[in-house]
Amino acid sequence: MSEHEIIFPSKGNFIYADCQKPPLGDGEVRGRTLTSLVSPGTELAWATGEDFPVHPGYAAVFEVEECGKDVTDIEIGSRLFCMGPHRSFQQVDRRFTLPVPEGLAAETAVIARLIGVSMTTLMTTKARPGDRVIISGAGPVGYLAAHIFKLSGYEVSVVEPDATRRGQIEASGISSTFTDIPTDDQNFSGKVALVVDCSGHEKAVLGGCRLVRQHGEVVLIGVPWKRHTELYAHDILHAVFNNFVLLRSGWEWEYPLLAKGFKWAELLEGYNNSPHSIFTGFAKALKWLSEDRIPLRGLVRQLSPADPAAVYGALLERRMTEPFLVFEWPNS
């Protein structure tokens, strides 16, 4: 059977190309891809960047067909989640996989990857359940961030200027929404513990810094791909200084990929021995998805990988309204 992958060979070009399987490592598993996840913001940034060729992809679910000789705890036919490319097969170190819960559709399970983007903020914030949290931006990452904070007991509001996205988040059960950061609303001004910016827009960040309570947090998850306004850095500095704001990166890799055990020697050397990790976050996300605790009905579009130019062209022209896009890979 021939294998295929999606490649961006140069700026604005998207092809469905033949590829080959490399030798299987002793600790690796390999199998046919069932579905792979599109991350529109990241992949479009790659597509319009300067460094080519790009082999895009964010996450995948695959069915195991082969195991390396050191892999003894995974059965052929198992469905696994991984951070893999848009390719007809996945080949990955078994340590960086998770079993997909029984009954969870592959096109839903793969969304765990996007949940992980804001999971680190959930694990590191000083805000506590019951506190007010505002999510700025209701794209794929913001939509999921709103729901995982709601699931964790926070009082969640969402800021989203786009009417379609705002309607999607309201229909999902989060009724407190705004078109702009509510700095003039006395019910929110100075009473918000955390603003999670998923927009990458400097106006939203400034609004968040002006809105949060003293010692509140503004966490930057959305990538500032471009400048949107003529705001000065001084505007943000002034708000941070005078409101005692903790403004920080929402860097999802703050935790290690895998959790580590507690060892005194490593702790004394400054190593992170937290029981939390990127993959414990993914495991929690898969559990929530399997329990149908994050509303996704009507929000996932399944696509063929055979014509990537049509898919990414539609994304560039903003002709797709569903926040979650997945490639469904054929079985031959």
Side-chain angles (χ1 to χ4, degrees), residues 132 155 157 178 182-192 211:
R132 285 188 170 177
E155 189 175 327
S157 299
F178 301 89
T183 50
D184 295 328
D185 190 326
Q186 295 306 306
N187 293 315
F188 288 86
S189 182
K191 298 175 183 177
V192 174
L211 179 72

Side-chain angles (χ1 to χ4, degrees), residues 8-302:
F8 303 165
S10 58
K11 186 176 293 188
N13 290 319
F14 317 94
I15 63 172
Y16 185 65
D18 292 338
C19 65
Q20 300 293 322
K21 292 179 179 177
L24 185 66
D26 292 344
E28 292 183 327
V29 290
R30 180 164 64 198
R32 71 179 187 91
T33 304
L34 303 176
T35 187
S36 61
L37 175 72
V38 179
S39 178
T42 299
E43 293 184 37
L44 290 181
W46 291 340
T48 55
E50 302 296 333
D51 190 13
F52 296 96
V54 174
H55 298 263
Y58 218 61
V61 170
F62 67 104
E63 185 178 279
V64 177
E65 296 175 322
E66 302 173 79
C67 295
K69 70 180 184 64
D70 292 341
V71 179
T72 59
D73 58 342
I74 293 178
E75 295 183 358
I76 302 301
S78 299
R79 294 185 309 147
L80 300 180
F81 165 90
C82 71
M83 292 189 288
H86 297 312
R87 191 173 60 189
S88 58
F89 70 95
Q90 300 297 320
Q91 181 171 329
V92 62
D93 188 313
R94 60 92 48 236
R95 295 176 300 163
F96 305 121
T97 67
L98 287 169
V100 175
E102 188 69 28
L104 180 61
E107 63 270 19
T108 302
V110 78
I111 293 171
R113 175 66 188 91
L114 288 178
I115 295 175
V117 176
S118 58
M119 188 68 81
T120 299
T121 299
L122 179 62
M123 293 190 288
T124 59
T125 182
K126 296 192 302 180
R128 291 295 175 258
D131 282 343
R132 285 188 170 177
V133 172
I134 283 188
I135 309 297
S136 175
V141 171
Y143 178 96
L144 296 169
H147 279 284
I148 68 171
F149 274 89
K150 181 183 177 183
L151 278 172
S152 301
Y154 294 86
E155 189 175 327
V156 176
S157 299
V158 174
V159 173
E160 174 51 64
D162 182 84
T164 298
R165 287 181 169 180
R166 199 166 59 253
Q168 289 169 341
I169 198 73
E170 290 171 351
S172 75
I174 295 178
S175 59
S176 180
T177 64
F178 301 89
T179 58
D180 203 352
I181 298 287
T183 50
D184 295 328
D185 190 326
Q186 295 306 306
N187 293 315
F188 288 86
S189 182
K191 298 175 183 177
V192 174
L194 170 68
V195 172
V196 182
D197 180 63
C198 300
S199 71
H201 198 296
E202 59 270 27
K203 182 182 176 184
V205 175
L206 175 59
C209 292
R210 288 173 171 170
L211 179 72
V212 292
R213 67 192 187 195
Q214 290 188 349
H215 300 290
E217 293 173 279
V218 178
V219 179
L220 310 179
I221 287 182
V223 180
W225 295 113
K226 63 180 181 180
R227 183 176 181 176
H228 295 277
T229 70
E230 296 302 314
L231 289 173
Y232 289 100
H234 175 264
D235 297 326
I236 293 178
L237 296 176
H238 184 273
V240 170
F241 184 87
N242 287 286
N243 205 26
F244 312 107
V245 177
L246 176 58
L247 174 63
R248 64 184 178 91
S249 169
W251 189 47
E252 65 178 298
W253 307 107
E254 184 173 344
Y255 281 116
L257 276 172
L258 302 174
K260 296 181 179 180
F262 183 86
K263 296 180 180 178
W264 273 110
E266 291 185 355
L267 185 63
L268 294 172
E269 291 295 325
Y271 290 100
N272 184 345
N273 284 299
S274 170
H276 301 296
S277 71
I278 300 300
F279 270 80
T280 60
F282 290 156
K284 175 62 73 176
L286 286 166
K287 183 175 185 294
W288 280 337
L289 290 168
S290 70
E291 294 170 348
D292 199 24
R293 301 181 71 185
I294 298 176
L296 295 173
R297 182 168 301 186
L299 300 179
V300 182
R301 178 181 285 199
Q302 296 166 262

